[in-house]
Amino acid sequence: SAVISQKPSRDICQRGTSLTIQCQVDSQVTMMFWYRQQPGQSLTLIATANQGSEATYESGFVIDKFPISRPNLTFSTLTVSNMSPEDSSIYLCSVGGSRDSGNTIYFGEGSWLTVV
Amino acid sequence: GENVEQHPSTLSVQEGDSAVIKCTYSDSASNYFPWYKQELGKRPQLIIDIRSNVGEKKDQRIAVTLNKTAKHFSLHITETQPEDSAVYFCAASRDTGFQKLVFGTGTRLLVSP
């Protein structure tokens, strides 16, 4: 499986600020995904990051709030903009989900954000 | 879209007992069903998965069963150990190209020594 590194691993952020999370994969992957896990909750897909094109957002998530970049096949960033306490969550980068990979999805270690 | 329900939300067992977690899904086109284990403070880790062309898959003390007609699948853990204590998530997706996972709500399993 791919090795997925995320930065930062944890951060405490001030209300109204923005934070960019980086995700680096040790091999080229076609699709990268960003999930959110709110405290005590399940995982919800934010968007699919496509290399060379705009990200595809899920219902309830918008580009202005969660802009995503995907400059190459091994890297992506997710920005959480104008943060509020409700944005306190674990943000997880993941790869896989292709038929070639057996649909298996692997997660990075996550970025644990607390907004105060 | 797909909807995955998971039960129970919490499950307490004695060490050595078996544990069963059940999930139902709504999209009859879903045919890939993974299970993830998430320990406190850590990322979800894939522990087992099953595709719709089989009804059961086993890996040591864990097994997953699938009933496509009823649209439900279950995780079975035998001879539970304290280190099995974690939150378990089921998920479902279609096996047609790049597909996203829809997760269940999670089950907190507590194994008491």
Side-chain angles (χ1 to χ4, degrees):
Chain A
S1 62
V3 176
I4 308 166
S5 303
Q6 273 187 246
K7 289 193 296 187
S9 57
R10 292 182 184 274
D11 208 340
I12 299 174
C13 308
Q14 295 295 317
R15 186 192 304 247
T17 63
S18 298
L19 182 79
T20 296
I21 302 166
Q22 299 179 4
C23 180
Q24 179 75 51
V25 188
D26 69 342
S27 59
Q28 293 186 342
V29 293
T30 306
M31 308 298 279
M32 296 177 76
F33 307 88
W34 287 98
Y35 283 83
R36 182 177 74 179
Q37 187 176 26
Q38 294 178 300
Q41 302 297 311
S42 185
L43 292 85
T44 302
L45 182 64
I46 297 171
T48 302
N50 311 303
Q51 195 270 331
S53 65
E54 292 280 339
T56 304
Y57 289 83
E58 297 300 305
S59 176
F61 298 96
V62 295
I63 188 171
D64 289 347
K65 177 67 176 177
F66 298 101
I68 287 171
S69 77
R70 182 79 197 277
N72 57 53
L73 291 174
T74 64
F75 187 78
S76 179
T77 67
L78 169 75
T79 299
V80 186
S81 302
N82 187 25
M83 286 185 284
S84 66
E86 293 71 36
D87 294 318
S88 297
S89 295
I90 309 168
Y91 292 87
L92 293 150
C93 171
S94 67
V95 303
S98 72
R99 181 179 290 174
D100 291 344
S101 74
N103 286 84
T104 302
I105 287 183
Y106 298 99
F107 290 94
E109 294 186 349
S111 298
W112 304 64
L113 303 188
T114 301
V115 184
V116 297
Chain B
E2 176 66 279
N3 181 53
V4 178
E5 295 188 356
Q6 184 171 347
H7 300 281
S9 57
T10 59
L11 180 59
S12 295
V13 300
Q14 292 292 121
E15 183 176 1
D17 289 349
S18 295
V20 180
I21 302 170
K22 299 181 179 181
C23 288
T24 60
Y25 60 98
S26 61
D27 185 354
S28 57
S30 289
N31 53 13
Y32 174 65
F33 308 95
W35 286 88
Y36 288 83
K37 174 184 180 181
Q38 187 175 30
E39 297 176 329
L40 189 63
K42 297 188 176 180
R43 74 182 117 181
Q45 298 269 26
L46 178 72
I47 56 171
I48 195 168
D49 57 13
I50 191 168
R51 287 175 173 77
S52 60
N53 57 344
V54 297
E56 182 176 4
K57 184 177 179 180
K58 297 179 78 171
D59 183 3
Q60 300 183 337
R61 294 187 298 107
I62 61 174
V64 57
T65 59
L66 171 66
N67 183 327
K68 281 216 75 177
T69 303
K71 290 192 282 190
H72 67 71
F73 57 111
S74 301
L75 178 71
H76 304 253
I77 306 174
T78 59
E79 301 172 27
T80 54
Q81 302 167 1
E83 50 265 39
D84 295 327
S85 296
V87 179
Y88 292 80
F89 293 98
C90 63
S93 76
R94 296 183 182 186
D95 180 19
T96 51
F98 296 103
Q99 289 300 327
K100 59 198 180 201
L101 288 175
V102 177
F103 284 84
T105 49
T107 296
R108 184 173 301 277
L109 174 64
L110 176 62
V111 182
S112 302

